[in-house]
Amino acid sequence: MVQGWKWSRRRSYFPLISLIFMVLITATILFNEFRIHQYQNPDHNPHLQNTQKSPPVELDRFTTCSSTVEYSGGDMGWGGGVRHSPVPGGVKECDVFAGKWVFDNGSYPLYNESHCPYMSDQLACHKHGRLDLGYQYWRWQPNECNLKRWNVTEMWEKLRGKRLMFVGDSLNRGQWISLVCLLQSVIPADKRSMSPNAHLTVFRAEEYNATVEFLWAPLLVDSNSDDPVNHRLSDRIIRPDSLSRHLSKWENADILVFNTYLWWRQGPVKLLWSSEDNRVCEELDGVRAMELAMKTWAKWVDSNANPLEKRVFFVTMSPTHLWGQEWNPESEGNCYNESNPITQENYWGTGSDLPTMNMVEDILSRLGSKVTVLNITQLSEYRKDGHPSIYRKFWETLSPEQLSKPESYSDCIHWCLPGVPDVWNELLFHFL
Ligand SMILES: *[C@@H]1O[C@H](CO)[C@@H](O)[C@H](O)[C@H]1NC(C)=O
Ligand SMILES: *[C@@H]1O[C@H](CO)[C@@H](O)[C@H](O)[C@H]1NC(C)=O
Ligand SMILES: *[C@@H]1O[C@H](CO)[C@@H](O)[C@H](O)[C@H]1NC(C)=O
Ligand SMILES: *[C@@H]1O[C@H](CO)[C@@H](O)[C@H](O)[C@H]1NC(C)=O
Ligand SMILES: *[C@@H]1O[C@H](CO)[C@@H](O)[C@H](O)[C@H]1NC(C)=O
Ligand SMILES: *[C@@H]1O[C@H](CO)[C@@H](O)[C@H](O)[C@H]1NC(C)=O
């Protein structure tokens, strides 16, 4: 691993307490997205009366464990094929994921923030007061070749008669909004539509008979966090062996773009196997729980994906910039007030966990050409300037203490649009 040494070196001066703090910040920002609806009356739990019979019960946000025991070693029995090396999507003719950011205000941004009717208030940084717009002007330049130039007509031709679906968490939703913004400008307003925000949200373009959809499935497998609005919960409970709730929505899509990562970084995960009738959960650390979920997902990909008929993409972890010390030893801040990319080659922050990356790489490589990896981690690591920080809508009321210290509530996880996710979509276009 190229960055292996960096990780261990950096970790050594990165105290555990900071990591715990980081987990808390991450959790707060991820959960606060839709705070409006989070207050629910627990007495309304429809399952409390009848959990004893006919398992498995669908998990929802009211699901609880009756007790928690240690992980007993179960899994889906998916070993996958032999490791294919190199990972497809990586190094065919040229490794497009190795390169640098080049300032290019001639070709970028690829669209105007205020001209995209589907823009999210979480990502519209200019609208929310950001004045340094440099983050919109960077082009990704691979070292040994050029990326295919974004061409909206060509992209629509590739999508004609097809369903493209993003499946994952709020980072993946950001990439979906980016793609919709990139695509929508050439479709007349009366020939396009967007369904209301739900588990599955659908953008449709009539004349191409095509849809670009987003499915909320932050942990890929079924979990108690699958409600797109109410998912602020203290315990993370998953069904490590079941995709069914999401699968029924995604299985007919022609092109699938998956991601999952940050939701596994919030402490131990509870496992509730489908065969378990008495709500006895097992507990496992995030990385190993993610591995179980990835294998369940991979088992499905292995028997259903086909590069000619059903394309499957996997987007690697989206980096965070929560600790200024990582790129500037004198800094006590985070991404707030950062207006330029990091130029140090192979820079790697502590938020991008290498053991997780290795686990993911191992699983993906066993899927061979059935999956195309969009390895956005390294290139996004450089973009400490690309996050909304304080320039987004916050649903909670900010206290005077917070307001006097902008770093304390900065969002250094999601990405401003136009911005970094547009480039992830150029990579998707490149491989489609
Ligand atoms: C691009 O940036 C350069 C240098 O900052 C500036 O001189 C030029 O006017 C800019 N061009 C556009 C189209 O914004
Ligand atoms: C976006 O469009 C608005 C309104 O048409 C315009 O005022 C603004 O200059 C544009 N922004 C960019 C970055 O082109
Ligand atoms: C974009 O793609 C369309 C359809 O493939 C093609 O006709 C057109 O020339 C392309 N435009 C550019 C600028 O390459
Ligand atoms: C539109 O696309 C769907 C697949 O997404 C296909 O089943 C249907 O036949 C298409 N309709 C037309 C009119 O092409
Ligand atoms: C933001 O950065 C600029 C320099 O890039 C500096 O002059 C300014 O004091 C910083 N503001 C805050 C609030 O840290
Ligand atoms: C992504 O690229 C990094 C190098 O930047 C590499 O260490 C990692 O293994 C790759 N991940 C996958 C899933 O291919």
Side-chain angles (χ1 to χ4, degrees), residues 109 112 114-115 136-137:
N112 181 322
S114 64
H115 295 175
Q136 301 192 355
Y137 299 132

Side-chain angles (χ1 to χ4, degrees), residues 165-198:
M165 194 185 291
F166 288 85
V167 182
D169 61 22
S170 57
L171 278 313
N172 203 260
R173 177 169 45 212
Q175 187 178 350
W176 168 70
I177 293 172
S178 154
L179 187 58
V180 170
C181 289
L182 282 163
L183 286 169
Q184 62 85 29
S185 64
V186 297
I187 310 290
D190 62 338
K191 293 267 186 329
R192 53 175 148 88
S193 64
M194 179 72 89
S195 74
N197 179 28

Side-chain angles (χ1 to χ4, degrees), residues 1 3 87 316 348 357 360-361 364 373 375 378:
M1 252 345 69
Q3 293 88 2
V87 176
T316 61
W348 196 269
M357 184 61 113
V360 168
E361 205 221 280
L364 296 176
V373 182
N375 196 337
Q378 174 85 75

Side-chain angles (χ1 to χ4, degrees), residues 68-300:
T68 301
V69 299
E70 258 177 64
Y71 172 56
S72 62
D75 67 19
M76 290 290 280
W78 182 79
V82 281
R83 272 187 70 107
H84 293 65
S85 186
V87 176
V91 212
K92 229 188 230 159
E93 301 99 22
C94 147
D95 182 0
V96 295
F97 306 114
K100 60 174 187 294
W101 291 96
V102 176
F103 187 79
D104 179 357
N105 61 356
S107 343
Y108 289 79
L110 297 172
Y111 55 91
N112 181 322
E113 180 196 285
S114 64
H115 295 175
C116 179
Y118 310 107
M119 182 58 67
S120 155
D121 270 339
Q122 198 185 339
L123 311 173
C125 298
H126 185 41
K127 175 179 167 190
H128 289 92
R130 186 160 176 180
L131 295 176
D132 63 306
L133 298 183
Y135 66 92
Q136 301 192 355
Y137 299 132
W138 296 89
R139 173 167 54 84
W140 177 248
Q141 178 59 57
N143 288 331
E144 275 151 25
C145 54
N146 292 319
L147 272 189
K148 222 167 115 117
R149 265 186 87 88
W150 170 255
N151 178 331
V152 65
T153 320
E154 192 182 338
M155 184 63 170
W156 272 121
E157 286 306 331
K158 286 175 196 282
L159 297 181
R160 188 182 284 283
K162 297 209 166 111
R163 290 179 70 189
L164 164 61
M165 194 185 291
F166 288 85
V167 182
D169 61 22
S170 57
L171 278 313
N172 203 260
R173 177 169 45 212
Q175 187 178 350
W176 168 70
I177 293 172
S178 154
L179 187 58
V180 170
C181 289
L182 282 163
L183 286 169
Q184 62 85 29
S185 64
V186 297
I187 310 290
D190 62 338
K191 293 267 186 329
R192 53 175 148 88
S193 64
M194 179 72 89
S195 74
N197 179 28
H199 182 204
L200 179 65
T201 312
V202 182
F203 173 74
R204 184 182 307 277
E206 232 175 79
E207 57 194 306
Y208 288 97
N209 186 29
T211 58
V212 180
E213 314 181 26
F214 173 69
L215 182 69
W216 173 255
L219 298 149
L220 295 184
V221 291
D222 293 349
S223 79
N224 65 346
S225 309
D226 292 338
D227 185 310
V229 176
N230 302 296
H231 47 238
R232 187 191 171 100
L233 301 161
S234 52
D235 273 342
R236 198 69 51 226
I237 307 176
I238 65 167
R239 262 216 209 293
D241 53 349
S242 172
L243 300 166
S244 58
R245 178 184 290 145
H246 307 306
L247 180 56
S248 63
K249 297 277 197 304
W250 88 48
E251 64 188 344
N252 293 320
D254 303 287
I255 304 159
L256 283 155
V257 183
F258 293 94
N259 93 323
T260 190
Y261 173 55
L262 278 179
W263 283 64
W264 301 103
R265 305 270 298 153
Q266 298 159 14
V269 174
K270 302 216 155 121
L271 317 175
L272 194 48
W273 296 89
S274 300
S275 56
E276 172 52 49
D277 327 356
N278 299 317
R279 289 184 293 116
V280 176
C281 295
E282 295 178 351
E283 191 168 80
L284 197 54
D285 65 82
V287 181
R288 286 168 71 212
M290 178 176 172
E291 181 172 10
L292 289 179
M294 287 289 297
K295 284 187 172 164
T296 300
W297 167 85
K299 190 171 184 174
W300 178 82

Side-chain angles (χ1 to χ4, degrees), residues 412-426:
C412 299
I413 294 173
H414 300 98
W415 303 93
C416 297
L417 292 181
V420 175
D422 302 335
V423 171
W424 303 351
N425 281 318
E426 289 190 278

Side-chain angles (χ1 to χ4, degrees), residues 399-409:
S399 66
E401 293 75 35
Q402 284 178 308
L403 289 169
S404 68
K405 206 169 178 304
E407 296 85 356
S408 67
Y409 66 97

Side-chain angles (χ1 to χ4, degrees), residues 8-9 16 50 69 102 129 195 268 318 321 330 357 397 421:
S8 43
R9 194 197 56 178
L16 182 64
N50 62 357
V69 299
V102 176
S195 74
S318 172
H321 293 90
E330 269 110 72
M357 184 61 113
T397 314

